[in-house]
Amino acid sequence: MLDLSKRLAFLFVIVLLASCRPVPPELSQTALPISASEHIDPDKLKERIDNVLDFTLQHRHLNTQDHAAWQILHGSLAYGRKFPVTHEGEEISVVDYLSQGGKMNGWTIERGNKLQSGEGEEPKYGMRAVTEPGTRAGQGHFDQWLAILSQCDVPPEATFVVGPDTFTMTNFVQQVQLDISRNHLREFSWTLIGLTKYFPTDHSWTDSTGKAWSIADLAQIEVEQGLANGACGGTHRLIGLSMALNRRKQAGLPIDGPWAAAEQLIQQSIEDARKFQNPNGALSVNYFARAGSSPDLAENLGTTGHTLEFLSISLDDQQLQEEWVRRAASYLCEVFERTEEVSLECGALYHAAHGLALYRNRAYGPGDE
């Protein structure tokens, strides 16, 4: 039997593989601490963000031979439909590549339930993305691909060719609703992101087992689960709730029941992120649980990046302009700048890029396409 220290080490490796937590490159072990200045010039910060995002897009390339869907689609999360993948020497938008029937390791799609179709029409089927947790190749969480594609503004009528089948984005959304009861982990962070892109937050439906569901039900379950067992410190849970809550507010619907509870959790998490921020601008490596710092730039890229991503979605316009948020964005820019020659784990890298892109668009307006 393994002694306790070896068993703990083994479990630690498993946790690393199953989460978005970055595997630190050796170069970052000797990196000097970063000290953020007391005042961040907004115009200079905007320029730094633009430079960082441009460098990452132009100089970090992914291809279908060496990289898998898990890595590639994280790039699409950060850059949307303009993010390219290289296939057989040619660059093409990832979304366009998949739409045209392109294949990549981990893009595992199967025919789902038979859908209703009009008289005389060809049979239609749902589009199901297979979940392959822990592989770092396929979909790691239920409805992760739906969430990413929805944030790329893929319209309902867009098509995806998979073998002999041609599915629409609507077929994808329909299958997700039918499969809600298959989500045995009851982890609906990505489901909320995807469904509230295409439906109002008072939407309800019936799944393939006959069970009735609503978007409010998913929000309630997410709030009840809390942050302790949530992926990446609970940031994904907070992002899903924040995006759904924002859409509910935009529609002028009441913030009551699970929505009031979601608002409370989000606001408390914002305060915890601010309270636990490190003097150099980094957000806590322990996320919202307690204060914590690390000399490892790769770890900070993942933790500060995920948390800034959440903050850039959840903060109101006034909160977004507060100095502590600028300092977090400035710190993240410096991490990017100091790791330009380092091979970085794609999940942490592109979540951090997405956080900066969201912050940039909200604080300064959209950048040049």
Side-chain angles (χ1 to χ4, degrees):
M1 180 179 292
L2 292 173
D3 62 37
L4 180 60
S5 62
K6 290 182 179 178
R7 289 165 63 191
L8 289 174
F10 175 76
L11 288 173
F12 179 69
V13 170
I14 294 298
V15 169
L16 279 177
L17 291 174
S19 72
C20 299
R21 201 175 182 85
V23 179
E26 292 182 5
L27 187 62
S28 68
Q29 298 295 326
T30 57
L32 297 174
I34 297 174
S35 298
S37 60
E38 288 298 317
H39 174 71
I40 306 297
D41 182 280
D43 291 334
K44 290 182 179 178
L45 177 58
K46 175 186 173 184
E47 182 179 357
R48 289 180 74 194
I49 292 172
D50 286 344
N51 289 340
V52 160
L53 292 175
D54 183 67
F55 179 91
T56 303
L57 179 63
Q58 300 298 330
H59 297 282
R60 292 188 182 273
H61 303 292
L62 303 182
N63 64 77
T64 56
Q65 180 176 345
D66 301 317
H67 302 100
W70 190 89
Q71 299 160 310
I72 294 166
L73 282 166
H74 271 92
S76 296
L77 173 67
Y79 291 97
R81 298 193 67 147
K82 69 180 180 181
F83 186 74
V85 65
T86 300
H87 177 69
E88 296 181 348
E90 298 290 331
E91 278 197 351
I92 181 173
S93 158
V94 173
V95 175
D96 291 345
Y97 175 72
L98 295 175
S99 178
Q100 296 168 18
K103 297 179 181 180
M104 61 178 69
N105 181 26
W107 176 249
T108 310
I109 304 296
E110 64 183 22
R111 182 184 286 185
N113 292 62
K114 188 174 182 179
L115 306 173
Q116 286 187 337
S117 56
E119 187 175 348
E121 292 182 351
E122 289 289 323
K124 297 178 182 178
Y125 295 89
M127 172 178 164
R128 176 183 290 134
V130 177
T131 304
E132 304 172 83
T135 64
R136 291 297 181 96
Q139 179 173 251
H141 304 270
F142 282 93
D143 306 325
Q144 187 176 20
W145 291 169
L146 173 69
I148 290 176
L149 291 173
S150 72
Q151 290 174 89
C152 293
D153 294 325
V154 176
E157 67 276 10
T159 57
F160 293 90
V161 175
V162 183
D165 294 312
T166 298
F167 302 105
T168 65
M169 193 67 180
T170 294
N171 299 151
F172 198 1
V173 174
Q174 289 171 312
Q175 191 62 50
V176 163
Q177 293 174 92
L178 291 171
D179 284 347
I180 290 292
S181 290
R182 292 167 62 106
N183 187 339
H184 59 281
L185 297 176
R186 292 168 68 83
E187 182 184 43
F188 296 116
S189 308
W190 291 266
T191 317
L192 274 175
I193 294 171
L195 292 187
T196 56
K197 172 71 174 182
Y198 301 103
F199 295 107
T201 57
D202 57 1
H203 175 64
S204 60
W205 68 95
T206 302
D207 73 13
S208 60
T209 71
K211 180 175 173 57
W213 289 91
S214 69
I215 288 177
D217 292 334
L218 304 186
Q220 180 69 47
I221 292 169
E222 285 291 281
V223 170
E224 289 174 353
Q225 296 218 59
L227 305 183
N229 67 340
C232 303
T235 52
H236 292 290
R237 181 153 289 146
L238 289 167
I239 288 168
L241 287 169
S242 295
M243 294 181 77
L245 187 64
N246 287 348
R247 286 162 185 157
R248 189 168 182 85
K249 290 177 179 178
Q250 290 164 4
L253 295 172
I255 308 303
D256 54 9
W259 301 110
E263 178 81 284
Q264 183 177 4
L265 177 62
I266 289 164
Q267 293 304 319
Q268 182 60 57
S269 299
I270 291 170
E271 175 56 24
D272 289 340
R274 185 200 62 77
K275 180 172 61 177
F276 297 142
Q277 186 177 31
N278 290 294
N280 64 357
L283 299 167
S284 175
V285 294
N286 295 313
Y287 295 99
F288 313 99
R290 61 189 182 279
S293 62
S294 170
D296 193 310
L297 295 184
E299 181 173 20
N300 282 284
L301 183 73
T303 53
T304 296
H306 274 85
T307 306
L308 183 65
E309 192 178 20
F310 154 63
L311 293 172
S312 297
I313 293 167
S314 61
L315 294 174
D316 63 33
D317 291 342
Q318 183 175 349
Q319 290 173 314
L320 197 74
Q321 300 298 332
E322 292 176 1
E323 192 70 16
W324 73 277
V325 186
R326 284 200 191 106
R327 292 177 63 244
S330 176
Y331 171 85
L332 199 53
C333 284
E334 189 159 351
V335 174
F336 270 96
E337 291 159 356
R338 295 180 62 178
T339 56
E340 286 183 351
E341 303 302 320
V342 178
S343 179
L344 296 170
E345 187 270 328
C346 288
L349 171 70
Y350 289 117
H351 274 292
H354 190 219
L356 282 177
L358 290 170
Y359 174 80
R360 196 265 189 229
N361 289 349
R362 287 205 54 209
Y364 303 101
D368 296 332
E369 292 297 327

